[in-house]
Amino acid sequence: MPGNLSTRDGAPARHVRGRSPILDVVTDLLDDVTSARFPLDLPGAPDLRELRDRVETQIGAHLLPRLKRETGPAVVVLGGSTGAGKSTLVNSVVGREVTPAGVVRPTTTTPVLAARPEDTWLVAEHPITELADLVADDGVPTGLALLDAPDLDSVLEGNRTLANLLLETADLWLFVTTAARYGDAVPWRVLRQAQERGITVAVVLNRVPRRVLSEVRADLMGRMTGLGLGEAPLFVVQDVGPHEGLLPERAVEPVRTWLTLLGGRNTARGVVRRTTQGVWGTLREELLRLADGITAQAMAAGTLRSRAEGAASSAGEALVARLRTGVATQGAPTTRWLAAASTGGVLAPLTGDVTRVRRGWRGNAVRLRTEAADAIGRETRQALLPLVVDAAAEAASSLRGEWAEEDRGGAGLLRDDDGAPAATREDRAETALSGWASRTDALAEELVAADPARADVLAAAGLSALVQAGAAGLDGAARAVRAIVPGEDVVARVARDLEETATAVVREEVGPYLDRLAALGLRADAGAGLRLRASELKGHR
């Protein structure tokens, strides 16, 4: 047993007189296992989820109850193939019907735990009663509780899952099969797992016709030996033909006699101790498997996050590169500028010495120039909008492609309605560009207020419009702004704001995906707790 056992908060475990010193550690271990999650669809994730559920049941419904009270009856789980006669065998051992039996499959949908009346108080608070109905009967062998489990190969998935979980509660597994079904793959796979985890196993070969008894018995014993179960008890129940109710006494007597002997105080405790020791032997390895799986999930989540951020970054960088070419102003904004700034145009004075404009007459000229400049600003913003929208859509498309790649684990996080609808995406982009324009408006107001003579050339609204057009790549507008506001690189400043605004819209596109990933709570250190518990259990028997 380890010398230094710690509780969840890292403090040494408190050893209470009469209480197993490992109890506090195993209690914390149950919390760690319960919180282990494998939400990403990585290779092996379904197996890890199944293992997590199995280990959780094993700890909560087997180890902890045994650590708290070893004196309870040994739990014998009867499991096997569909139609193997498990329920009939339980009823026949007890001597009356305590669990439904019949020809309609599946017969056992709600597990039944049969215990002697004097033992019910020992199992009433056992976690197994959350999975099975407790029935008291004097016919149950002393020292035992018989659990009739659903079929391992049930047509109902819920029954199959429950049957596998109930196996983890067993001190002894009584595997029930028939001459016609003993070769089925599913029960033998589970039987192999039981053997590997150290669960004590016995086998009942039911409904064996006399003419094939020797042949089937020999074949079954060979299979058991090959599985390492050569010394496990094997009982053969001959086929009694069509019947209703209990099996004849002679048919079930060997099983009942063995169970009665097994239920003796010392023998039953020996079975409990042997199975519990076997469980300890495999639990540490199973915890390390879970810890490795959690780490793999966290690493995969990190990769998905990087891919999402990369998709946004690449789309944003491509957008910035396009903006710097002036592509947004190559259509309507350039056409409108050339028309207004050519000889005789209302903005022509801005292409020359603007100080002459300041000395000239004002009249309607400022208003007309401002209106012309404002029109160019509107054309520029309208041309910017689809560029930003397309970049955001590209980021989402790239992310979905990355996450959908096989074995990356992100496909399960994608939804058919993922990605912003075109209208919503456009609304976000338009709102962002409006905010950029408003900030430019405020800057233009400051510039005009700082030098009122600038108002003789353009009103603040007109100056803002030309700054926006220049920032988007319209060279003529940029030169006009530098003439009006010499010595200050206003256009470059607003161009940087435009790039930051546009790339922010692109980043927002992947935000919901990243939020969904973050909600999984996968952390790189998440497996550390299970590894710590596994190290504390090392050497415990």
Side-chain angles (χ1 to χ4, degrees), residues 106-308:
T107 300
T108 303
T109 54
T110 301
V112 172
L113 178 66
R116 296 184 63 82
E118 62 268 26
D119 287 336
T120 55
W121 71 276
L122 291 170
V123 296
E125 296 182 0
H126 193 295
I128 198 174
T129 57
E130 297 178 6
L131 304 174
D133 291 340
L134 177 61
V135 175
D137 196 282
D138 289 327
V140 177
T142 301
L144 303 181
L146 305 180
L147 179 61
D148 181 21
D151 304 326
L152 291 168
D153 56 356
S154 174
V155 295
L156 302 178
E157 182 180 359
N159 280 1
R160 295 195 303 272
T161 301
L162 182 56
N164 280 277
L165 290 178
L166 288 172
L167 174 60
E168 305 300 333
T169 70
D171 294 309
L172 181 145
W173 189 34
L174 196 58
F175 175 56
V176 184
T177 187
T178 67
R181 302 294 303 275
Y182 75 92
D184 290 355
V186 172
W188 281 94
R189 175 178 58 80
V190 179
L191 192 62
R192 183 180 297 106
Q193 293 173 352
Q195 167 68 1
E196 291 171 352
R197 293 198 297 278
I199 298 175
T200 304
V201 174
V203 178
V204 175
L205 182 60
N206 197 15
R207 298 174 184 163
V208 186
R210 181 181 295 274
R211 68 181 184 280
V212 297
L213 191 152
S214 297
E215 177 185 350
V216 171
R217 180 188 178 100
D219 185 49
L220 179 56
M221 289 182 66
R223 290 171 181 256
M224 291 173 61
T225 300
L227 200 61
L229 294 172
E231 297 183 2
L234 171 61
F235 301 96
V236 178
V237 178
Q238 292 189 25
D239 189 5
V240 298
H243 73 284
E244 293 184 3
L246 308 182
L247 293 170
E249 284 288 329
R250 58 180 173 78
V252 76
E253 184 57 32
V255 179
R256 181 191 291 122
T257 299
W258 179 73
L259 288 173
T260 300
L261 292 173
L262 188 68
R265 180 174 182 179
N266 292 331
T267 306
R269 287 189 177 181
V271 170
V272 170
R273 194 171 296 113
R274 184 166 60 251
T275 294
T276 301
Q277 288 174 346
V279 169
W280 287 121
T282 58
L283 180 58
R284 183 171 178 271
E285 287 72 20
E286 291 174 332
L287 293 177
L288 292 176
R289 272 188 63 196
L290 292 175
D292 289 344
I294 292 172
T295 299
Q297 290 270 321
M299 292 178 63
T303 299
L304 291 174
R305 187 179 304 108
S306 296
R307 297 287 182 171

Side-chain angles (χ1 to χ4, degrees), residues 60-135:
H62 183 89
L63 288 180
L64 277 178
R66 287 305 175 200
L67 289 171
K68 292 176 180 178
R69 181 183 289 131
E70 190 175 308
T71 57
V75 177
V76 180
V77 176
L78 283 82
S81 304
T82 300
K86 300 181 295 296
S87 299
T88 299
L89 183 61
V90 170
N91 292 335
S92 300
V93 167
V94 174
R96 74 177 185 88
E97 184 173 303
V98 292
T99 181
V103 297
V104 178
R105 306 296 170 206
T107 300
T108 303
T109 54
T110 301
V112 172
L113 178 66
R116 296 184 63 82
E118 62 268 26
D119 287 336
T120 55
W121 71 276
L122 291 170
V123 296
E125 296 182 0
H126 193 295
I128 198 174
T129 57
E130 297 178 6
L131 304 174
D133 291 340
L134 177 61
V135 175

Side-chain angles (χ1 to χ4, degrees), residues 447-461:
L447 293 172
V448 171
D451 184 355
R454 292 166 180 163
D456 293 335
V457 182
L458 278 175

Side-chain angles (χ1 to χ4, degrees), residues 13-24:
R14 293 171 295 173
H15 296 172
V16 181
R17 184 177 179 84
R19 168 170 167 158
S20 171
I22 197 75
L23 180 57
D24 291 328

